[in-house]
Amino acid sequence: MTVLEDRIAMAECDDESTLDAMFDRLEPTPEGYKVEIVEGTVYMSPQRTTHWQIALSIIIQLCATYPQKRLMSDVRIDYPGHRNGFATDVTALAEGAEPAENGRWRHEDVEFVAEVVSKGTAANDYGPKKTAFATAEVPVYVIADPYKGICYVYTQPKEGSYVTRTTVPFGEDIDLTGTVVDLVLKTDEFPRD
């Protein structure tokens, strides 16, 4: 099969099959990098200490209301939209969530997502990912931006957008007690870049 025939075949596949083929071609991923596909474009991001420390802090705090088996980091979940295979920094799943037949988790079971901004992929977190999460009706989406020292908390997804956005500076608490997450996230130890 020629390269052109291969590309035509990929274009004719459904998005899930195409995403699978794209991820397969990216294996093995270089050590220390995270790979995501956002609207059909491949992004490879190096893992940074600041990034991981914020994600880990969120995961540890979520353990107060979520069992460990319902929390994950950098695990692929496919979201609505054109070829969206995200490996979010932090994901919390609903009670009773089980992997689909293909072995991956379903976006319908996601209750919480947190992304820690990286310079090279910040536009994805604020743009197409936020739209995909709202379209998937993820109840809570948190963006932690270590460059600005601010968290943006999005809740109440409706028609592909979030109704509510709350801005919380690092050092202040994120009150999620009125949401499915039902806890207060501390940000006082979030490092800045």
Side-chain angles (χ1 to χ4, degrees):
M1 184 178 279
T2 68
V3 172
L4 178 59
E5 291 170 328
D6 188 40
R7 288 184 181 167
I8 290 170
M10 277 188 66
E12 292 173 350
C13 292
D14 65 15
D15 277 350
E16 183 179 336
S17 298
T18 302
L19 274 172
D20 289 343
M22 291 173 77
F23 276 107
D24 287 346
R25 288 188 176 133
L26 295 168
E27 291 294 329
T29 302
E31 187 174 331
Y33 281 81
K34 174 172 97 169
V35 175
E36 293 185 298
I37 299 175
V38 179
E39 295 184 327
T41 301
V42 176
Y43 292 89
M44 294 180 78
S45 304
Q47 295 299 315
R48 298 176 350 271
T49 301
T50 299
H51 192 103
W52 173 241
Q53 287 174 339
I54 293 172
L56 181 59
S57 176
I58 293 170
I59 291 168
I60 289 169
Q61 293 179 69
L62 287 172
C63 284
T65 56
Y66 286 89
Q68 186 177 344
K69 68 181 182 179
R70 289 177 36 211
L71 296 172
M72 55 198 60
S73 178
D74 296 341
V75 174
R76 175 185 165 193
I77 297 176
D78 297 344
Y79 283 89
H82 178 68
R83 296 185 187 153
N84 286 324
F86 304 157
T88 58
D89 295 321
V90 180
T91 301
L93 298 170
E95 188 173 342
E98 295 288 333
E101 287 182 21
N102 61 11
R104 286 191 300 278
W105 298 98
R106 300 168 349 106
H107 67 79
E108 293 90 348
D109 293 327
V110 176
E111 290 186 339
F112 172 91
V113 170
E115 290 285 27
V116 182
V117 171
S118 296
K119 282 186 180 178
T121 58
N124 290 337
D125 297 334
Y126 290 108
K129 283 186 170 184
K130 184 176 74 166
T131 299
F133 298 143
T135 301
E137 297 185 351
V138 173
V140 180
Y141 174 40
V142 174
I143 298 174
D145 191 327
Y147 303 101
K148 296 178 181 178
I150 293 174
C151 290
Y152 298 96
V153 183
Y154 297 92
T155 58
Q156 298 178 296
K158 184 176 182 179
E159 299 175 7
S161 186
Y162 282 100
V163 174
T164 304
R165 182 184 98 166
T166 305
T167 303
V168 180
F170 281 18
E172 294 185 16
D173 294 345
I174 300 173
D175 185 358
L176 299 175
T177 55
T179 71
V180 296
V181 179
D182 195 30
L183 66 86
V184 175
L185 282 176
K186 305 273 185 202
T187 69
D188 55 332
E189 294 187 9
F190 285 8
R192 293 189 62 163
D193 268 341

